[in-house]
Amino acid sequence: FFSRHAVHRPTPGMKYVSAYILAVLGGNTSPSEGDITKIITAGGLEVDAERVSKLVSELSGKDVFEVIQAGKEKLTSVPAGGAPAAAAPAQASAAAPAQAAAKEPEKKKEPEPVEEEEEDMGFGLFD
């Protein structure tokens, strides 16, 4: 599933946003290109000056926390998996659990047989 040697590689643009937010959290309400570059290089990463310049110019004069909040509000309007069902009238949603229970016959769950590999091997993981 996951390799022990897997290395998490962040999205390329996120290091710039993260550095900007880190500077703001450190008390710098309006980080400059130099501030962002200094933070990124301190982490041993390479810097794309164009991306830093674009980020600083787009966030210039804005409160980064208001920008984040606006982004969260936009995400709430994006439909996800069950959104259309949630928009159904209250009467239909109240009747749905009763109908679902009536449609599904009861299933008897039998205990699963223990395979040899799962049997007690004489020691516990946390012993």
Side-chain angles (χ1 to χ4, degrees), residues 100-122:
K103 289 182 184 178
E104 292 184 29
E106 289 187 33
K107 298 178 185 175
K108 293 182 181 178
K109 186 167 184 167
E110 296 179 20
E112 295 180 19
V114 177
E115 295 182 18
E116 286 182 32
E117 296 145 6
E118 295 177 359
E119 290 180 4
D120 186 18
M121 299 177 82

Side-chain angles (χ1 to χ4, degrees), residues 29-50:
T29 58
S30 185
S32 68
E33 292 178 30
D35 297 330
I36 304 301
T37 300
K38 186 175 179 180
I39 291 169
I40 294 171
T41 56
L45 301 172
E46 294 179 13
V47 177
D48 180 353
E50 279 185 43

Side-chain angles (χ1 to χ4, degrees), residues 1-92:
F1 185 77
F2 288 105
S3 170
R4 290 186 331 170
H5 304 288
V7 176
H8 173 70
R9 301 194 191 277
T11 307
M14 288 304 295
K15 68 181 174 184
Y16 302 103
V17 174
S18 299
Y20 189 94
I21 293 172
L22 189 60
V24 171
L25 291 173
N28 186 347
T29 58
S30 185
S32 68
E33 292 178 30
D35 297 330
I36 304 301
T37 300
K38 186 175 179 180
I39 291 169
I40 294 171
T41 56
L45 301 172
E46 294 179 13
V47 177
D48 180 353
E50 279 185 43
R51 288 187 130 171
V52 173
S53 177
K54 183 177 180 182
L55 176 71
V56 171
S57 68
E58 287 185 13
L59 292 176
S60 178
K62 297 179 184 175
D63 179 357
V64 71
F65 299 108
E66 289 177 7
V67 173
I68 292 170
Q69 185 60 37
K72 284 182 180 180
E73 290 170 6
K74 287 181 182 179
L75 285 175
T76 60
S77 66
V78 175
Q91 294 175 349

